[in-house]
Amino acid sequence: MAEIEIQTAAAPAGRARQIGDIILEVEDITLTFGGLTAIDNVSFNVREHEIFSIIGPNGAGKSSMLNVINGVYHPQKGQITFNGKTRKQMKAHHSAAEGIARTFQNIALFKGMTVLDNVMTGRNKMMKSNFLTQAIYWGKGRREEMEHRRKVEDVIDFLEIQSIRKTPVGRLPYGLQKRVELARALAAEPKLLLLDEPMAGMNVEEKEDMCRFVLDINDEYGTTIILIEHDMGVVMDLSDRVVVLNYGGKITDGTPDEVCNNQAVIDAYLGVTE
Amino acid sequence: MFYRETGQFKTSYSADEAIFPIRQDFVGFWIIMAIAFVGIPLIANEYYFTAILVPFLISGLAALGLNILTGYAGQLSLGSAAFMSVGAFSAWNFITRIPEMPFLISFILSGVIAAAVGIFFGIPSLRIKGFYLAVATLAAQFFIEWIFTHVGWFYNYDPSGSITTPPLTLFGFELISPMSRYYVTLTIVTVMALLAKNMMRCSVGRDFMAVRDMDIAAEVIGIPMLKTKLLAFAISSFYLGIAGALWAFTYLGNVEPAAFDIAMSLRILFMIIIGGVGTILGSFIGAAFIMLLPIFLNLGAHALFGDLISQQLLVVSELMVFGGLIIFFLIIEPHGMARLWQIVKEKIRMWPFPY
Ligand SMILES: Nc1ncnc2c1ncn2[C@@H]1O[C@H](COP(=O)(O)OP(=O)(O)OP(=O)(O)O)[C@@H](O)[C@H]1O
Ligand SMILES: [Mg+2]
């Protein structure tokens, strides 16, 4: 598993990758639904190889923010720069092409398909052979299928879901479904991975596994990760930096320690019963 | 022999990705092929070929066409028969107007025309789903039927308003006998079913199923909605178009546009509901069921009641049985008979240890 180049120099707390330049710049984003302002003039940036958390009470606009970043929602104001490209609006499938993958707060797996097919679908955008070569299953169509199958098997090994490969996802327990969804996102070899509450509803053991996977992904593939999570312990342990949202607005951002000791954050959290 | 995969170890991904990864399925496939290509022609008589086997195969192909669109890509359509008629009338025009062209090429071109028409009527699917899309495809059904009834060019101004198909010719031989028509149909249907099976297990099929199961997630993963939905309409209509051409040329010999009416579209839809939505095999099981049930009901009723039962009562009871079955499958087993078959296979595979 650990055959990658390891850059140990000055990596904090045993992390293999060094934090790099800014890869995602979110500027003055405002998103409204009719009269409701879901995001109010929020800016922050995320650096390459970072694990970056978005926290805040329910309805703060966290999920909406992810939806803006990968083009599902179109903000009324502001712009986003990812990997050097600035855009005001984009289609969701273009963000996939640029290397953004995600998981959803409410699992969004393809229920009628097996685990293997779900994970393979994560790589569909890279498959270039047309339906005719796939129909005869010969030459390019077949070769491509095999190559991608091999890559997918690596991801399946990485997330330890070998034994459920051929199981229809609908039959899996909740915790495993979340893991399969992560596998599907990871199969796309994203530069930026957006995880919307990947540990919600899990027991302690499953949570620990998921934390380990998030760290391992960041370590091994160098993937930049934006994480939404309610469990403050997890956020403190995993994140390099954190941004705090409340009622659509940004309260502050910084390292976990800075954020924890910020009076406005404490007020926001005490003001809301979770 | 037992249906087991124990002891069949796969040492490569390509072995696991074979079209029938379990050996018993592979053997089963070749047994069916042997029966279809060798066994049946040895015993079947003219009646079986023309009245049962050929229409069964073509219906299965049509059901497969609809299954690609509805079962795999999740786009409900009530216009299947209309796309079949596009195939039938195109093929007739190609073959009568350009007789030098081999009929296979004419058929393929007809399928392509049906695909183009399918793409056109599939455009609304980008905006509307489910029930509303079904209504939009219903418009295709009525519009296309109207065109073929009212624009004389399509049936070469024949006063009867119908088309009479010349026999197909292959390497200079005229395929007139029921057996030769059976062979042509069987070959085309088999090849197309295998091609469909391949497509549906590659990225095209996964794109379709992803759009069916969760369209937002599909788009976020990078599957373009527009292209995928229109491709589903195109491939599905191509299959239906070829089925329509066969319906005219190897089954009926003489068709009018009304043969491809809404009732036929509904019958194809029932086939996939009963046989299994989203499976290749299910399309053929459903077709067999819908084709054979009336025949068996008829035989059974006559055996039980002799001449006491009226023809009218038979027709009504047939409709009642269909209705009951469709409701049964919609409620109890929405994946149809193919799913029941799969459950049986799984049980046998695990037997005697269920876990
Ligand atoms: N598609 C939508 N249409 C209308 N309102 C929406 C939509 N999506 C989100 N909202 C509203 O935007 C606000 C922010 O929602 P969002 O889902 O981003 O919150 P969140 O921070 O993810 O909350 P949670 O912790 O509960 O997941 C909420 O008031 C929500 O009702
Ligand atoms: Mg949320």
Side-chain angles (χ1 to χ4, degrees):
Chain A
M1 247 220 257
E3 293 144 348
I4 53 144
E5 265 180 79
I6 296 182
Q7 303 168 292
T8 39
R15 294 270 295 285
R17 301 271 173 168
Q18 236 174 330
I19 306 298
D21 295 332
I22 291 173
I23 189 170
L24 176 79
E25 178 92 57
V26 173
E27 288 172 271
D28 308 324
I29 293 292
T30 297
L31 174 75
T32 57
F33 296 106
L36 181 110
T37 306
I39 302 178
D40 188 9
N41 211 21
V42 171
S43 307
F44 59 86
N45 60 57
V46 180
R47 293 174 169 275
E48 204 170 0
H49 308 314
E50 204 168 34
I51 297 182
F52 184 92
S53 291
I54 303 179
I55 63 170
N58 291 105
K62 306 180 295 293
S63 299
S64 302
M65 195 68 204
L66 292 197
N67 281 325
V68 167
I69 292 172
N70 77 341
V72 177
Y73 290 167
H74 306 299
Q76 278 71 20
K77 192 167 111 7
Q79 61 180 25
I80 288 189
T81 308
F82 177 67
N83 220 11
K85 255 196 243 165
T86 302
R87 35 96 176 178
K88 285 214 152 52
Q89 288 201 350
M90 82 185 328
K91 286 253 159 54
H93 67 264
H94 291 141
S95 79
E98 287 190 7
I100 303 179
R102 75 172 285 184
T103 65
F104 293 81
Q105 185 167 353
N106 307 310
I107 298 173
L109 284 169
F110 307 126
K111 288 274 184 316
M113 299 159 72
T114 62
V115 169
L116 180 62
D117 278 344
N118 264 279
V119 183
M120 285 290 277
T121 308
R123 300 186 70 84
N124 273 14
K125 67 178 165 100
M126 299 174 220
M127 302 201 187
K128 294 285 172 270
S129 67
N130 68 26
F131 66 94
L132 290 175
T133 56
Q134 298 188 9
I136 54 172
Y137 203 64
W138 195 257
K140 191 169 178 232
R142 182 163 186 274
R143 246 192 341 268
E144 201 177 50
E145 194 76 2
M146 291 301 133
E147 273 164 27
H148 288 285
R149 173 77 193 268
R150 210 159 294 134
K151 294 267 172 61
V152 159
E153 287 293 337
D154 289 344
V155 173
I156 286 178
D157 285 347
F158 189 85
L159 293 180
E160 299 161 15
I161 46 176
Q162 300 91 333
S163 58
I164 52 167
R165 244 193 225 106
K166 297 280 172 79
T167 314
V169 289
R171 287 197 215 158
L172 295 174
Y174 181 83
L176 272 181
Q177 292 199 12
K178 285 242 160 197
R179 206 189 287 185
V180 174
E181 208 190 5
L182 178 62
R184 185 181 67 186
L186 198 57
E189 296 179 26
K191 285 198 201 67
L192 176 64
L193 183 58
L194 312 175
L195 305 177
D196 197 344
E197 306 199 14
M199 294 150 221
M202 287 186 164
N203 62 34
V204 177
E205 208 172 309
E206 289 171 326
K207 255 187 196 182
E208 276 171 4
D209 279 342
M210 190 53 93
C211 285
R212 181 164 55 85
F213 289 132
V214 170
L215 281 174
D216 282 351
I217 290 166
N218 178 259
D219 242 23
E220 188 133 334
Y221 301 105
T223 313
T224 311
I225 295 172
I226 300 184
L227 177 74
I228 297 179
E229 183 50 53
H230 279 294
D231 185 329
M232 287 311 282
V234 169
V235 171
M236 294 300 137
D237 283 351
L238 296 187
S239 328
D240 296 299
R241 281 189 308 138
V242 180
V243 65
V244 190
L245 303 182
N246 193 20
Y247 294 115
K250 170 173 151 181
I251 299 185
T252 183
D253 61 4
T255 63
D257 286 337
E258 285 166 11
V259 165
C260 256
N261 298 321
N262 183 304
Q263 191 55 45
V265 175
I266 295 166
D267 290 347
Y269 267 84
L270 289 181
V272 182
T273 39
E274 280 265 338
Chain B
M1 201 162 90
F2 285 105
Y3 185 75
R4 286 287 158 81
E5 49 185 312
T6 327
Q8 302 174 19
F9 299 110
K10 307 207 173 72
T11 50
S12 69
Y13 295 135
S14 58
D16 198 36
E17 299 260 330
I19 187 161
F20 299 110
I22 297 178
R23 195 182 300 140
Q24 284 84 344
D25 283 338
F26 182 76
V27 172
F29 170 76
W30 283 109
I31 291 175
I32 290 176
M33 286 296 103
I35 292 173
F37 278 92
V38 185
I40 286 177
L42 285 177
I43 55 166
N45 60 26
E46 196 161 308
Y47 170 77
Y48 280 107
F49 283 130
T50 50
I52 298 177
L53 292 165
V54 169
F56 153 67
L57 286 169
I58 303 174
S59 306
L61 183 65
L64 172 55
L66 178 63
N67 226 336
I68 290 173
L69 182 66
T70 303
Y72 282 95
Q75 310 298 307
L76 190 53
S77 163
L78 294 177
S80 314
F83 299 125
M84 286 178 77
S85 70
V86 173
F89 279 82
S90 309
W92 185 80
N93 277 291
F94 278 122
I95 287 174
T96 52
R97 286 168 205 265
I98 320 172
E100 316 81 59
M101 193 154 65
F103 85 89
L104 263 182
I105 302 210
S106 303
F107 271 31
I108 291 173
L109 288 177
S110 314
V112 170
I113 290 178
V117 175
I119 290 176
F120 178 76
F121 283 102
I123 291 173
S125 71
L126 306 174
R127 279 300 163 97
I128 53 179
K129 291 187 207 176
F131 175 70
Y132 296 97
L133 179 62
V135 172
T137 57
L138 206 54
Q141 173 69 45
F142 290 122
F143 180 71
I144 292 172
E145 205 180 316
W146 187 88
I147 292 255
F148 285 134
T149 329
H150 288 86
V151 181
W153 185 84
F154 287 111
Y155 50 90
N156 204 16
Y157 306 99
D158 190 291
S160 70
S162 65
I163 52 173
T164 304
T165 58
L168 300 171
T169 53
L170 192 65
F171 307 121
F173 293 102
E174 291 203 333
L175 307 169
I176 302 174
S177 76
M179 199 198 283
S180 67
R181 282 186 278 144
Y182 168 75
Y183 268 120
V184 169
T185 313
L186 178 65
T187 310
I188 292 178
V189 170
T190 306
V191 169
M192 288 184 71
L194 288 175
L195 294 180
K197 176 122 183 127
N198 279 336
M199 267 188 279
M200 292 308 118
R201 68 205 177 97
C202 285
S203 69
V204 174
R206 286 191 301 267
D207 279 350
F208 287 179
M209 291 187 274
V211 167
R212 171 194 71 191
D213 286 349
M214 186 67 75
D215 50 0
I216 296 268
E219 184 136 39
V220 163
I221 276 175
I223 296 169
M225 213 47 55
L226 178 96
K227 206 181 126 204
T228 308
K229 283 185 178 173
L230 294 186
L231 185 63
F233 269 96
I235 295 177
S236 160
S237 306
F238 181 88
Y239 274 71
L240 285 162
I242 301 280
L246 286 170
W247 196 256
F249 277 83
T250 65
Y251 176 43
L252 289 180
N254 178 297
V255 272
E256 48 184 13
F260 301 104
D261 60 357
I262 176 75
M264 183 159 198
S265 288
L266 289 176
R267 210 164 330 126
I268 298 170
L269 184 62
F270 294 160
M271 287 176 196
I272 72 169
I273 292 174
I274 290 180
V277 174
T279 68
I280 308 276
L281 179 66
S283 315
F284 291 94
I285 297 177
F289 205 83
I290 298 243
M291 299 290 310
L292 298 181
L293 186 72
I295 297 172
F296 283 122
L297 267 182
N298 209 330
L299 288 178
H302 281 293
L304 279 180
F305 307 109
D307 288 335
L308 285 176
I309 190 162
S310 73
Q311 200 54 37
Q312 231 167 351
L313 191 62
L314 257 183
V315 172
V316 173
S317 63
E318 190 183 300
L319 287 176
M320 276 162 50
V321 172
F322 272 142
L325 275 172
I326 285 161
I327 291 170
F328 169 81
F329 278 109
L330 282 178
I331 295 173
I332 311 283
E333 186 48 80
H335 295 287
M337 289 186 155
R339 175 79 190 122
L340 293 179
W341 169 232
Q342 208 188 342
I343 293 174
V344 170
K345 283 207 298 188
E346 258 173 47
K347 289 257 154 60
I348 302 175
R349 212 161 115 193
M350 301 297 181
W351 186 86
F353 308 110
Y355 298 106

